[in-house]
Amino acid sequence: MSWLTYYLGLFPGLFLLQRDVTCKEYQNVDMIIKLQDTVMLKCAYPEMGKMIQLSWEKKDGDAKHKIAVYNPKRGENIFFPYNQSVTFLSSSISGDIKLKATAADKGLYQCSINTFPEGVLLKLIAVIDPAKFPRSRAADSRVRIVPGNVMTLSFGYLNVDSIKQLTWQRMAGEEISIIVDITSSERFIGYDYKRRIQYIQSPDQNISLTIENVTTNDVGVYSCYIDTNNGNWTKTFDVDVEGDIKMFLIFGAIALGSLVLVISVVIIICVWRSKKRKASNTQFQKGTTERHNQRRANPNSYTNSDVYDQPNSRGMEYQEEAIYANL
């Protein structure tokens, strides 16, 4: 029995893997995105302090190419040639943009937000070739979360003298978010997790990651990668919303959609009835005006008599009866 088989037998859920693209080619990158026809670049302004200005740039070595700028007072501006392929999403203040991409759009993108009094916030995103995007793998453990609560993921590792590198990341669809990346000389925490995580390496051979105030946006496949003296090890966690909460959210969305549909139908019916009533009133007024005009033109004519003429007719009948009695 080899040493590898021995370790796999003692520690189920640990697997010897080669380094993937997230650890080798891109250091200190907050997010890795697979190149597609349409790419969403998410900056997610965290509302820390007052935003002064938000800008997007593409990094090409030491050179930087301006893509877009958003200023709360002056609005948005997209620079040439990106004005043909880039648009801000519905809420410009969040900083998210949509890119209609081609093969030439691979590379590093940087979102920078100038705030007061926090200073400059930076987020670095790598858009990579689809062939280099790592494939998802079967999860070793399943975790269910409740929105608003705290999530803790734990990973037991071999008893070694030191860990040369430790990386926690999250994969969701065609995106990989780097949560924490620690080496012997550097400690990097991803932009979206700076204020929500706690990383603990305890002496009892356990590494844990705690994320506070989780939401449905935290769903995905989490992986913990460690580079030790004995090899490279990874454990994955399939994180999803707890069943009851998930069904509640689904039914809530359906109920909300139904309510919006009912309200829309009621509004349409009310508007239609109002227009119909207005049209009827207009037609009635038009007919009344025509009858008044006819009476003014020929006051002795009784061919178009209406309710206003009835008292006069009744008076004439009374007069005829009185004359007959006298005779």
Side-chain angles (χ1 to χ4, degrees):
M1 180 182 295
S2 65
W3 67 270
L4 175 58
T5 306
Y6 174 77
Y7 283 136
L8 289 178
L10 289 180
F11 297 89
L14 300 183
F15 302 89
L16 185 65
L17 300 176
Q18 298 296 324
R19 279 192 174 186
D20 54 39
V21 65
T22 63
C23 302
K24 185 177 180 180
E25 297 186 27
Y26 299 99
Q27 296 292 332
N28 297 344
V29 172
D30 297 281
M31 181 175 288
I32 298 174
I33 299 178
K34 179 180 178 180
L35 179 66
Q36 302 176 87
D37 294 337
T38 301
V39 176
M40 302 295 180
L41 301 177
K42 302 175 183 178
C43 195
Y45 168 55
E47 299 184 0
M48 296 187 306
K50 179 182 179 181
M51 179 199 290
I52 300 174
Q53 185 165 291
L54 179 148
S55 62
W56 279 97
E57 297 173 323
K58 184 178 181 183
K59 301 181 68 175
D60 185 8
D62 295 332
K64 295 182 180 180
H65 306 283
K66 292 183 178 180
I67 298 176
V69 171
Y70 174 77
N71 185 289
K73 295 182 179 180
R74 300 181 180 181
E76 62 185 51
N77 183 33
I78 302 175
F79 299 96
F80 180 84
Y82 292 99
N83 56 345
Q84 302 298 321
S85 58
V86 170
T87 55
F88 277 94
L89 297 184
S90 57
S91 176
S92 299
I93 195 171
S94 71
D96 300 347
I97 60 175
K98 179 173 67 174
L99 170 65
K100 294 181 180 179
T102 64
D105 292 310
K106 293 182 294 184
L108 295 176
Y109 293 81
Q110 178 177 281
C111 174
S112 60
I113 307 176
N114 294 320
T115 65
F116 179 84
E118 296 289 337
V120 181
L121 306 176
L122 297 176
K123 184 174 184 179
L124 193 61
I125 300 176
V127 178
I128 67 173
D129 191 293
K132 295 184 177 181
F133 193 83
R135 297 180 180 179
S136 59
R137 55 188 296 271
D140 307 313
S141 179
R142 297 185 181 275
V143 178
R144 296 296 175 258
I145 61 174
V146 177
N149 286 4
V150 174
M151 176 184 70
T152 299
L153 305 177
S154 297
F155 179 25
Y157 66 95
L158 302 178
N159 187 12
V160 294
D161 296 335
S162 63
I163 295 178
K164 294 185 292 184
Q165 182 175 3
L166 167 66
T167 302
W168 282 94
Q169 65 184 31
R170 167 183 167 267
M171 177 183 288
E174 310 301 336
E175 299 178 353
I176 297 176
S177 300
I178 308 302
I179 303 173
V180 61
D181 188 12
I182 300 174
T183 64
S184 57
S185 60
E186 192 174 9
R187 177 181 177 130
F188 174 79
I189 300 177
Y191 175 89
D192 296 324
Y193 298 92
K194 291 183 183 295
R195 293 177 177 266
R196 290 203 301 140
I197 71 163
Q198 295 179 0
Y199 155 72
I200 300 175
Q201 180 180 346
S202 61
D204 58 349
Q205 303 181 14
N206 185 67
I207 298 173
S208 66
L209 175 73
T210 298
I211 300 179
E212 300 175 348
N213 192 26
V214 293
T215 68
T216 54
N217 293 328
D218 291 310
V219 168
V221 177
Y222 289 71
S223 62
C224 179
Y225 168 91
I226 58 174
D227 184 6
T228 73
N229 293 337
N230 292 329
N232 305 325
W233 306 80
T234 299
K235 184 176 181 180
T236 59
F237 306 81
D238 181 8
V239 175
D240 201 353
V241 178
E242 190 172 309
D244 294 341
I245 300 296
K246 190 173 184 179
M247 293 303 298
F248 173 78
L249 294 175
I250 293 174
F251 285 121
I254 295 174
L256 179 61
S258 302
L259 179 61
V260 171
L261 178 62
V262 170
I263 293 175
S264 301
V265 171
V266 171
I267 292 175
I268 292 173
I269 293 175
C270 292
V271 171
W272 176 76
R273 287 183 175 178
S274 176
K275 289 182 178 180
K276 185 177 181 180
R277 189 181 300 111
K278 185 177 181 180
S280 299
N281 292 338
T282 302
Q283 186 67 25
F284 175 76
Q285 292 176 358
K286 182 178 179 181
T288 302
T289 302
E290 290 178 353
R291 288 194 296 271
H292 281 299
N293 292 338
Q294 289 176 359
R295 284 199 299 272
R296 290 175 180 176
N298 188 4
N300 297 324
S301 175
Y302 294 94
T303 57
N304 295 318
S305 61
D306 53 19
V307 293
Y308 298 103
D309 298 326
Q310 292 178 5
N312 295 333
S313 300
R314 202 173 290 151
M316 292 178 64
E317 291 175 1
Y318 295 156
Q319 185 178 2
E320 289 177 357
E321 292 177 357
I323 293 173
Y324 179 79
N326 290 334
L327 289 176

